[in-house]
């Protein structure tokens, strides 16, 4: 199969790494990719938002499958355009991607389908927000309805903060049109887990789950980021009982509801869950794999990745055999000094040689080839630079391996958290992280 991966982060490098091991692969391209994907595939200099160029590239290379990493091209309708041209695509249509692109769409659907989620109201005017705030004293969560690059969620401890957050969206338009509809939600608490369901519109593969850490600094301090680390610890965080509860009460009803609305969901459905005292509840859906969760999930995939993704695209997942290993992985994200604010780039990265300790992987994000091209040291090109992953029979072994590989890597201004996957912190990662 000729395969095109869309995206340029460590998630896409992890996808390229796993797809590259498939006996079904003929040739692999990544748009736009990074220095890591350049070693496995041909990088194409195309932005994820340039649908015309992506579609043209897919036709040019006679793609048998296009795998879409980030949400933006899906929300813009990349899958629809490829489907119209007969190109199989792993990722939902624009209508199905509404599950991520509109929080009120997702919440309305969950309410109709009886899927556990926070109590909520969607509002367009401050007066309606005021009515909800007055009838729900205490902490609330205020969210911009649309895609806001991970920034549109405001946790409010009291009514005053909630009023200010509503104003920020509706009058000050801090999130532009993404905040023209606002969702007010009940404030839930409990550990968090990201659950991934590979779907073909009707059927669901066995679920896989991981946890991520969002805050910049150790102990879950500092600003929110695109993710500073992730882990899978089995069975501590993901038991067969929880898996079947999530499948029956969340994934299956959502898939049925999407099919009934004539937008069958194909691709991966990512549910961000909070494990509350009264059971798992959905905080958000995403229409793609998570970053940095994919970096610890792809190593678990024991079946053929192309069989799995093509089955999702073509609607025959019921005939595919999908298996996840029961192993533990820890992924630590190395970022540039200053991230998530301003940072410098162009620093040479040393210590990336492949002869690291066993069962470790380094996935690139903001990197590009150095002046010497392939084989010469890569240089930093973004805020999120690398995800260093270690695997083991238990989480502590996985964590030790990840950090011992990481310690050999260096670039000017490299920063990372030292507590990813640490036992004392696993619960915390899943609440405040
Ligand atoms: P979201 O992008 O909707 O997942 O929100 C980002 C983060 O905000 C989540 O990972 C949670 O930590 C927190 N959050 C979102 N919704 C709620 C809620 N209803 N109650 C408490 N925390 C929430
Ligand atoms: N790990 C969070 C995300 O991918 O949205």
């Amino acid at each position: 199969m000729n395969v095109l991966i869309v995206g340029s982060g460590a998630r896409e490098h992890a996808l390229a790494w796993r797809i590259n091991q498939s006996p079904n692969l003929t040739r692999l391209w990544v748009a736009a990719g990074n220095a890591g994907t350049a070693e496995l595939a041909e990088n194409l200099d195309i932005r994820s938002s340039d649908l015309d160029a992506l579609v043209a590239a897919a036709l040019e290379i006679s793609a048998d499958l296009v795998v879409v990493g980030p949400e933006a091209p899906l929300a813009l309708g990349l899958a629809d355009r490829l489907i119209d041209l007969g190109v199989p695509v792993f990722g939902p249509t624009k209508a199905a991607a509404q599950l991520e692109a509109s929080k009120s769409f997702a919440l309305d659907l969950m309410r109709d389908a009886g899927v556990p989620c926070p109590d909520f109201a969607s509002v367009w005017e401050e007066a309606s927000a005021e009515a909800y705030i007055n009838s729900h004293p205490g902490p609330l969560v205020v969210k911009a309805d649309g895609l806001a690059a991970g920034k549109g969620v405001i946790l409010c401890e009291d009514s005053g903060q909630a009023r200010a957050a509503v104003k920020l969206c509706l009058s000050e338009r801090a999130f532009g049109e993404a905040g023209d509809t606002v969702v007010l939600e009940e404030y839930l608490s409990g550990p968090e887990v990201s659950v991934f369901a590979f779907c073909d519109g009707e059927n669901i593969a066995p679920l896989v789950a991981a946890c991520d850490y969002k805050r910049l600094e150790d102990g879950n301090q500092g600003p929110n980021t695109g993710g500073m680390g992730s882990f899978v610890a089995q069975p501590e965080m993901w038991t067969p009982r929880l898996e079947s509860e999530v499948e029956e009460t969340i994934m299956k009803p959502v898939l049925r509801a999407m099919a009934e609305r004539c937008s069958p969901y194909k691709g991966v459905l990512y549910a961000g869950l909070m494990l509350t005292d009264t059971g798992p509840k959905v905080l958000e859906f995403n229409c793609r794999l998570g970053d940095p969760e994919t970096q610890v999930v792809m190593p678990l995939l024991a079946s053929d990745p192309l069989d799995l993704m093509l089955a999702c695209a073509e609607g025959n997942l019921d005939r595919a055999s999908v298996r996840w290993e029961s192993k533990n992985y820890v992924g630590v994200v190395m970022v540039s000094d200053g991230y998530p604010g301003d940072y410098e780039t162009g620093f040479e990265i040393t210590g990336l040689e492949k002869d690291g300790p066993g069962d470790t992987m380094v996935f690139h994000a903001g990197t590009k080839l150095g002046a010497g091209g392939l084989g010469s040291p890569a240089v930093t090109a973004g805020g999120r630079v690398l995800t260093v992953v270690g695997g083991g029979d238990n989480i502590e072994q996985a964590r030790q391996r990840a950090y011992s590989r990481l310690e050999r890597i260096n670039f000017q201004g490299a920063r990372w958290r030292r507590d990813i996957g640490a036992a004392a912190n696993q619960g915390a990662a899943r609440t405040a992280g």
Side-chain angles (χ1 to χ4, degrees):
M1 288 170 64
N2 285 337
V3 178
L4 170 64
I5 298 176
V6 176
S8 53
R11 167 181 52 205
E12 287 75 23
H13 187 194
L15 286 166
W17 168 81
R18 190 62 191 84
I19 287 172
N20 193 49
Q21 297 164 21
S22 168
N24 291 321
L25 182 71
T26 309
R27 263 186 88 179
L28 183 61
W29 287 261
V30 185
N34 52 43
T37 63
E39 288 183 14
L40 306 170
E42 185 174 331
N43 284 347
L44 300 173
D45 187 15
I46 305 174
R47 279 174 302 120
S48 295
S49 55
D50 190 348
L51 300 201
D52 289 341
L54 290 170
V55 169
L59 293 177
E60 167 87 23
I61 65 170
S62 305
D64 299 298
L65 182 67
V66 176
V67 177
V68 188
E71 67 278 10
L74 294 165
L76 289 170
L78 178 58
D80 309 62
R81 296 217 9 211
L82 293 166
I83 291 164
D84 283 348
L85 293 165
V87 181
V89 54
F90 178 72
T93 59
K94 182 175 181 175
Q98 285 299 297
L99 275 176
E100 173 166 0
S102 168
K103 293 185 189 289
S104 57
F105 172 88
L107 285 160
D108 285 339
L109 180 130
M110 284 190 274
R111 179 141 71 189
D112 291 351
V115 170
C117 62
D119 186 76
F120 74 97
S122 309
V123 300
W124 303 266
E125 293 162 345
E126 283 186 42
S128 337
E130 191 58 30
Y132 189 86
I133 292 169
N134 288 336
S135 59
H136 295 79
L140 285 174
V141 183
V142 174
K143 299 184 178 180
D145 182 67
L147 294 178
K151 296 195 173 70
V153 175
I154 307 165
L155 305 177
C156 305
E157 277 166 31
D158 54 42
S159 307
Q161 288 182 5
R163 281 187 196 102
V166 168
K167 219 184 202 97
L168 189 71
C169 296
L170 291 181
S171 340
E172 295 164 29
R173 300 194 80 228
F175 307 106
E177 65 181 41
D180 285 345
T181 296
V182 169
V183 170
L184 295 147
E185 275 179 19
E186 171 192 9
Y187 197 113
L188 300 173
S189 58
E192 285 183 41
V193 61
S194 307
V195 183
F196 302 98
F198 286 74
C199 309
D200 72 353
E202 206 181 317
N203 305 290
I204 303 179
L207 306 180
V208 62
C211 295
D212 70 342
Y213 295 76
K214 294 196 172 75
R215 302 283 205 100
L216 182 67
E217 286 157 24
D218 285 13
N220 299 319
Q221 304 296 311
N224 261 325
T225 69
M228 294 299 290
S230 52
F231 69 89
V232 248
Q234 308 194 58
E236 294 87 339
M237 52 158 269
W238 188 237
T239 59
R241 186 160 160 245
L242 182 58
E243 176 176 351
S244 89
E245 183 175 5
V246 170
E247 181 165 347
E248 295 304 324
T249 66
I250 296 169
M251 300 300 189
K252 281 187 179 167
V254 168
L255 215 58
R256 264 198 303 275
M258 291 301 285
E260 279 160 14
R261 283 165 171 72
C262 299
S263 8
Y265 192 94
K266 297 182 179 193
V268 68
L269 180 59
Y270 160 171
L273 303 183
M274 195 167 267
L275 308 178
T276 72
D277 292 343
T278 54
K281 291 190 177 174
V282 179
L283 296 182
E284 64 166 342
F285 283 119
N286 294 311
C287 63
R288 51 169 175 84
L289 282 158
D291 186 341
E293 292 96 324
T294 304
Q295 294 89 303
V296 292
V297 161
M298 275 302 117
L300 292 176
L301 180 57
S303 14
D304 186 82
L306 292 178
D307 279 349
L308 168 60
M309 293 179 192
L310 195 63
C312 291
E314 295 189 331
N316 46 31
L317 197 51
D318 50 337
R319 280 182 265 141
S321 91
V322 182
R323 220 169 47 77
W324 302 100
E325 304 227 35
S326 184
K327 269 190 76 171
N328 299 268
Y329 283 94
V330 169
V332 185
V333 176
M334 297 181 83
V335 301
S336 301
D337 185 27
Y339 172 85
D342 295 337
Y343 50 81
E344 287 179 55
T345 59
F347 300 118
E348 193 171 292
I349 308 171
T350 56
L352 286 174
E353 300 71 28
K354 288 195 197 88
D355 59 347
D359 211 358
T360 63
M361 290 141 283
V362 179
F363 296 121
H364 291 229
T367 71
K368 63 178 189 192
L369 291 175
L374 263 182
S376 71
V379 296
T380 65
R384 302 164 61 66
V385 180
L386 303 166
T387 306
V388 184
V389 175
D393 297 331
N394 56 58
I395 188 88
E396 192 45 40
Q397 187 180 47
R399 174 179 147 71
Q400 276 170 11
R401 286 182 176 157
Y403 278 101
S404 72
R405 177 85 189 255
L406 182 148
E407 271 149 25
R408 300 174 179 215
I409 301 171
N410 199 18
F411 57 88
Q412 191 178 317
R415 298 281 178 270
W416 63 90
R417 275 180 64 159
R418 286 161 210 278
D419 63 346
I420 303 300
N425 196 31
Q426 284 172 32
R430 297 156 64 201
T431 47

